[in-house]
Amino acid sequence: MSAGPPRHVVVLTGAGVSAESGLGTFRDKDGLWTRYDLEEVATPEGFRRNPALVCEFYNARRENLRKARPNEAHRALAAFERRFQGRFTLITQNVDDLHEKGGSPDPVHMHGRLDELRCQHCAAVYAYDAPIAPDSVCPVCGREGGQRPNVVWFGEMPLHMDAIDAALADCDLFVAIGTSATVYPAAGFVGRVRAMGRARCAELNLEPTAASSLFDETRYGPASEVVPAFFAALS
Ligand code: BJW
């Protein structure tokens, strides 16, 4: 494990980093999966069975996101990236754009983005900020239907995995923030980084998770407090 200042910091964020911005998490008390059946709204099979329900679910999430603002955790990560002299890779499981709004230039959205659609006919991915319906028309190929949120559902391959694998192999500090460590492959990142034996691993979360014992360092509390404190101490 490296001593001294890190050379390449990799940060993985989850829903907890956006919780204080008013976006619900998935598995906390009152989380999205306590109100919706994930099989119905977050799988390709659910979308095929009931596209109207899935469109409604994501339309409501897009509307919520419109009102949300980045919090101190998003801003602290962006500020650290601006001043850090080494390499910095921000990987997010979140489909919101609060890292970008907080000033991060290019977070890696491994589970896609709420503000993009993908056409299942021509595979075009395009920015979209309005409600969609099962009969929406693709602006690229003009065909009706088959427009879906450009997000990664269960059973689908997360995005940008080559870049993520390379960053995990290269980092000497890995920090997981606001994620319950239940959804793979992201939940396995800390184990992979540890197995390579080169990086210090830190978990910043509201409370301990199933993966806490794998981290060298843990800080518990709201992201808006623990994230700024952790990254201030790092620079
Ligand atoms: C705070 C806080 C505050 C709260 N401050 N903290 C059996 C074993 C292993 C794997 C599998 C298995 N069976 C099936 C699988 C695979 C499956 C999987 O992992 N299932 C598990 C549930 C078991 N995974 C997949 O299918 C993935 N694809 C895949 O594996 O492809 C094959 C592959 C193989 C090898 C390499 C690569 C690929 C795809 C997963 C897609 C997940 N999609 C979703 C929906 C995205 C779109 C949308 O948003 O609607 O992604 S599900 C949902 O969970 C969303 C999230 O990104 C993801 C993770 O959730 P997250 O962020 O951790 O949120 P929570 O709510 O769980 O936790 C919040 C945390 O914050 C908590 O700890 C709180 O305490 C904390 N917190 N307030 C700080 N203020």
Side-chain angles (χ1 to χ4, degrees):
M1 208 172 299
S2 67
R7 180 183 51 77
H8 183 178
V9 178
V10 170
V11 172
L12 169 71
T13 63
V17 81
S18 296
E20 290 161 84
S21 295
L23 300 182
T25 64
F26 294 93
R27 296 169 184 82
D28 290 316
K29 181 169 65 65
D30 301 331
L32 280 171
W33 297 158
T34 65
R35 287 175 284 129
Y36 293 89
D37 180 348
L38 70 85
E39 295 288 336
E40 298 306 322
V41 296
T43 63
E45 296 78 16
F47 184 57
R48 275 195 292 277
R49 273 195 299 271
N50 193 346
L53 174 73
V54 176
C55 288
E56 257 172 46
F57 175 70
Y58 283 97
N59 287 343
R61 304 254 314 270
R62 216 176 287 114
E63 188 52 37
N64 268 352
L65 178 54
R66 207 188 306 281
K67 297 174 232 148
R69 298 289 170 266
N71 63 51
E72 288 307 316
H74 299 105
R75 283 192 280 271
L77 288 168
F80 178 76
E81 182 169 1
R82 278 194 296 276
R83 68 177 180 266
F84 183 51
Q85 303 288 313
R87 202 175 150 207
F88 183 83
T89 306
L90 176 58
I91 304 166
T92 186
Q93 297 169 87
N94 299 342
V95 297
D96 67 56
D97 61 356
L98 296 183
H99 282 305
E100 286 89 340
K101 286 186 173 147
S104 292
D106 55 358
V108 178
H109 280 274
M110 65 177 291
H111 289 165
R113 298 181 60 125
L114 205 45
D115 55 5
E116 287 178 352
L117 296 187
R118 186 164 85 240
C119 174
Q120 296 186 112
H121 301 302
C122 71
V125 171
Y126 51 95
Y128 202 83
D129 202 22
I132 58 161
D135 60 356
S136 293
V137 171
C138 173
V140 178
C141 72
R143 289 174 72 180
E144 188 181 291
Q147 308 309 300
R148 57 161 284 180
N150 189 31
V151 301
V152 178
W153 288 322
F154 285 104
E156 297 184 321
M157 184 60 86
L159 308 174
H160 314 296
M161 285 310 297
D162 287 349
I164 290 172
D165 289 344
L168 294 175
D170 183 60
C171 72
D172 54 358
L173 174 62
F174 173 78
V175 188
I177 302 173
T179 177
S180 61
T182 46
V183 176
Y184 288 84
F189 289 174
V190 60
R192 287 172 50 195
V193 168
R194 263 182 80 92
M196 289 182 264
R198 279 196 301 273
R200 182 163 73 97
C201 297
E203 177 179 69
L204 315 182
N205 206 63
L206 195 57
E207 57 192 17
T209 69
S212 294
S213 63
L214 296 176
F215 289 88
D216 303 296
E217 183 178 351
T218 51
R219 305 256 183 109
Y220 300 122
S224 64
E225 294 172 17
V226 292
V227 175
F230 181 87
F231 284 93
L234 204 59
S235 25

